[in-house]
Amino acid sequence: MTAALPAALPWDYDVRKGQEMPPGIRLLRVTDIAFTQKQVNDSFSHEQRPILELIESVLSGAAHPRDIPLIRVAWHQGQFWAIDNRRLFCYKHCRLERLPVEVIRWEDQHEFEMKWRNGQGARGNGGYGGPMLGHGGHQAGVVQRLKDLPFPRSPIMHEEESEISLFMDEDSQRRHDKARMENLLRYRKMASYEDQLAGDVGRPWKYLARLGEDGMPCTLLKAKVDGLFEACVWNGREARRPNEVLLHLGLHCGQLEPAVGDCRTAELPLIKKDMLSRLTFVMPHRMPAKLPKPWCAVCGKLVSEKLKQHEASRHASCFACSCGKRFECSEDLRRHSRKQQHAIPQMFRPADTWPPAESSDSDAAPERPDPAEVSSAQHTARPVPRTAPARSAAAPQRRPLRALGNVEGPTFVVAAGSSSRAPANWPCPICQAVVLKLREHERQEHPGCYRCASCGKSDFTCSEDLRRHARKKGHAISQHFEW
C-alpha cells in the first residue's frame, strides 16, 4: 500500500510568488525558467566541449543535474531567468520537468541584467527582434561552431535565431527523440519516488541507504526544498557501540531504496523527535581535523588503506555540510566546519569517530596503574601553557573522556604560579563542546567526572577546581584537563 503524500511537499511553490522565494538551492520546475540570452553556442567555452556530450550523458543516465554545477536563476518581471543558458538548453531538450537550481537575487549578480538585455529584442520587446515572437524566453537559437558534428532538431530551438549548417539525419533524429521520451518517463518516475519519500518522513527504518557496498537501515528525518533528505542511518553490529545511530545530511532518492525482510525493526533503536538537533555539531576552532587513525565513520571500523582514499572512493556522497556544500572526505568536511562554524553530522566528530582501544587479548582486561602509587617524582612540574601545546609524532594523543572519573593514561601536575582557568573558547575536556560558560556547562552536564589521579578525590564540580587542587597539593591529574 502506497503511503499518502503530505498536503504540501517541501519543494512545492507558487510561481506567482517567486519574488518571495529566499536565495539558496531548491527544486524548480523547468518550465518556470527562461533563457536570458537569444542564442546559445553548441559547445562550452572550456575546451570547446560540445553540449551534445552533456545531452547524451543525461539521456543515458550517466549524468544527473546534481553531478554538474547547478544553474543559477533569479526572479525578474514575473518569472525565473537563468544565466547558465547552455545547460538550461540541455535540460529543457532532455525533457526534465524539475531540477535543483541555485536561486540568487537579481541585483546580486550583474550577469543577469547584462544577458537579459542581450536577449530582450528576441523576446519581442523591440530592437532587432521586431514584433513579439511568442516564446517569452523559453526558446533560444543555437549557433553551430562545431561544423562537422550534426546537431539534433529540438522544440526548444528557435530556428529564426539559429545558425546551424548540419542537422542529424532522419534515423539518428528518430533514435534521439526516442531517448528523449524514455528520459522523460525515467525522471517522472524519479520525481514520483521523491514525493513518496517525503510522505514517509518519520517512519522508522523503512528504507535502506546505499552509502557503501551494502545498504544500511535508515529513518528519514526531513525532506528539504532541494530534493535531498536528512536521515538517521544505523550501521549495525559493525558500529563501535551497539545501536549507534549516525546522521547523514543530503541523501538523494538514488541512494534510498525500500527495506525488505532482513531489516527487523525490533532490533533497531527508537528515533526521537529531537534527534535531528542532537546529531549535529560545530567543529571547535582548536580541534584537529585529521584523525589519529584511519577510522571510517560510515563503515564503523578501521580501514587498511589511507582514509582519504577510502572515503573518496567508497563514500564520496556522504560528506555534506548543513550549508549544502559537499566534500570528498571527512577531514575536509571537519576543516570546513571549523573555519565557517557550520553544523555537520555528529558521526564525523573526532570524539565520536575515535576507534576503540585495541588489545592483543580481548578476554584479558588491560592492566591499570594504581593512582595512589603515582609518585610526584614521575611528573616534572612545568608551567601550563596558554595555548594548546604542540605535539610531536611520538607524543601520545589525548582522547575525550568516556567514563565518569576516568583517570587512565598520561597525567600531569599543574605548576605553581600558573592559572587554573582555561582560556576563552576552550572546548570542554569531557565532550569537546565549545560553550560560552565552561564552568556552568561542566557542573550541569558532567558532574562527578573530575577526579585526582594521586589522592582519588572526586568531589570537584568542574575542571578549574580540579586544576586548582592539583596546583595546591602537587598532585597528578589526567592530561585531559591540561590546556
Side-chain angles (χ1 to χ4, degrees):
M1 181 176 178
T2 305
L5 297 180
L9 296 167
W11 37 79
D12 286 345
Y13 63 93
D14 186 350
V15 70
R16 295 170 297 180
K17 300 179 180 179
Q19 72 278 6
E20 302 175 5
M21 191 174 292
I25 299 173
R26 65 158 300 125
L27 290 180
L28 281 187
R29 294 184 292 269
V30 178
T31 53
D32 292 338
I33 310 173
F35 297 100
T36 50
Q37 291 181 305
K38 64 172 183 175
Q39 295 174 321
V40 297
N41 291 323
D42 70 339
S43 59
F44 293 103
S45 301
H46 180 64
E47 297 180 354
Q48 295 292 302
R49 297 181 65 181
I51 64 172
L52 191 58
E53 182 179 315
L54 175 57
I55 290 174
E56 297 292 350
S57 296
V58 173
L59 292 180
S60 66
H64 187 278
R66 295 191 189 279
D67 307 326
I68 304 161
L70 302 181
I71 64 173
R72 297 159 292 171
V73 304
W75 176 264
H76 185 64
Q77 293 193 1
Q79 66 179 348
F80 289 101
W81 302 85
I83 53 176
D84 302 299
N85 292 274
R86 279 170 287 197
R87 271 174 280 158
L88 178 61
F89 182 91
C90 293
Y91 299 148
K92 283 179 174 284
H93 177 79
C94 292
R95 305 189 70 173
L96 304 189
E97 293 185 323
R98 70 186 184 199
L99 74 156
V101 301
E102 182 180 2
V103 179
I104 303 175
R105 297 193 187 280
W106 184 273
E107 59 273 12
D108 292 344
Q109 177 62 266
H110 73 280
E111 194 175 352
F112 281 104
E113 185 71 21
M114 180 182 66
K115 290 186 174 182
W116 185 80
R117 289 184 179 277
N118 172 269
Q120 189 172 10
R123 291 188 293 272
N125 295 328
Y128 61 83
M132 181 62 132
L133 296 178
H135 57 79
H138 292 277
Q139 287 182 315
V142 178
V143 177
Q144 191 173 37
R145 295 193 295 184
L146 305 176
K147 303 295 184 180
D148 58 343
L149 181 64
F151 199 82
R153 297 184 183 275
S154 173
I156 310 303
M157 181 193 305
H158 196 282
E159 294 191 2
E160 293 183 20
E161 297 292 338
S162 298
E163 302 173 13
I164 298 182
S165 58
L166 181 63
F167 282 102
M168 283 184 175
D169 58 50
E170 291 186 6
D171 289 340
S172 299
Q173 184 70 46
R174 191 179 302 110
R175 290 192 297 270
H176 186 78
D177 290 340
K178 181 181 178 181
R180 291 177 60 237
M181 175 57 71
E182 292 173 350
N183 194 62
L184 170 65
L185 298 178
R186 181 170 65 251
Y187 271 82
R188 279 185 177 175
K189 185 177 180 180
M190 189 183 305
S192 176
Y193 186 48
E194 285 178 341
D195 296 344
Q196 176 187 333
L197 291 171
D200 286 334
V201 166
R203 298 197 174 204
W205 315 113
K206 187 174 180 179
Y207 291 92
L208 295 180
R210 289 289 174 185
L211 301 170
E213 296 179 353
D214 301 320
M216 291 182 277
C218 72
T219 297
L220 303 181
L221 298 177
K222 181 180 180 183
K224 303 168 66 177
V225 295
D226 59 356
L228 298 180
F229 297 87
E230 294 177 352
C232 283
V233 179
W234 185 74
N235 58 359
R237 295 181 178 85
E238 289 188 353
R240 178 164 45 88
R241 296 189 299 274
N243 292 351
E244 181 170 8
V245 176
L246 310 176
L247 175 68
H248 286 268
L249 296 177
L251 298 178
H252 57 77
C253 65
Q255 295 174 287
L256 296 165
E257 61 184 50
V260 287
D262 59 344
C263 178
R264 290 169 292 180
T265 57
E267 298 180 358
L268 303 180
L270 178 66
I271 296 297
K272 299 180 180 179
K273 293 182 179 180
D274 62 341
M275 183 165 283
L276 182 60
S277 61
R278 292 190 291 108
L279 288 178
T280 57
F281 87 108
V282 176
M283 191 79 172
H285 288 294
R286 295 181 179 87
M287 184 178 289
K290 187 174 182 179
L291 300 180
K293 291 185 179 181
W295 173 263
C296 177
V298 181
C299 296
K301 58 185 179 182
L302 289 169
V303 295
S304 57
E305 56 188 320
K306 290 185 177 180
L307 183 59
K308 277 191 173 183
Q309 295 177 357
H310 170 84
E311 292 176 331
S313 61
R314 300 185 60 181
H315 313 299
S317 60
C318 296
F319 311 105
C321 178
S322 55
C323 68
K325 192 171 183 180
R326 293 180 174 274
F327 301 89
E328 291 186 350
C329 63
S330 60
E331 181 179 336
D332 292 344
L333 176 63
R334 285 188 289 269
R335 189 175 291 110
H336 168 79
S337 172
R338 185 177 60 193
K339 181 179 180 181
Q340 303 295 338
Q341 290 296 284
H342 288 177
I344 62 175
Q346 180 84 10
M347 61 177 294
F348 298 121
R349 180 176 183 163
D352 291 338
T353 58
W354 205 293
E358 300 169 333
S359 173
S360 57
D361 185 2
S362 57
D363 297 329
E367 284 191 18
R368 300 179 180 177
D370 186 354
E373 296 178 357
V374 177
S375 170
S376 60
Q378 294 176 275
H379 311 285
T380 304
R382 61 188 186 280
V384 178
R386 287 286 180 182
T387 58
R391 299 184 182 276
S392 64
Q397 296 281 352
R398 283 191 294 174
R399 53 188 296 184
L401 295 178
R402 283 295 181 191
L404 298 181
N406 188 352
V407 294
E408 306 163 23
T411 56
F412 81 109
V413 175
V414 180
S418 60
S419 175
S420 60
R421 178 172 293 182
N425 297 325
W426 191 260
C428 172
I430 309 297
C431 65
Q432 298 294 305
V434 177
V435 294
L436 186 62
K437 296 181 179 180
L438 181 59
R439 293 181 63 176
E440 293 183 8
H441 168 81
E442 291 177 327
R443 288 170 178 171
Q444 294 175 4
E445 301 294 333
H446 312 295
C449 289
Y450 313 100
R451 179 183 175 189
C452 178
S454 295
C455 66
K457 188 176 180 180
S458 60
D459 58 351
F460 307 102
T461 59
C462 62
S463 59
E464 182 178 336
D465 292 345
L466 177 61
R467 284 190 292 269
R468 188 177 293 112
H469 164 80
R471 183 183 60 191
K472 180 179 180 180
K473 300 293 185 179
H475 287 181
I477 60 175
S478 172
Q479 205 173 64
H480 289 291
F481 301 111
E482 181 183 10
W483 53 265

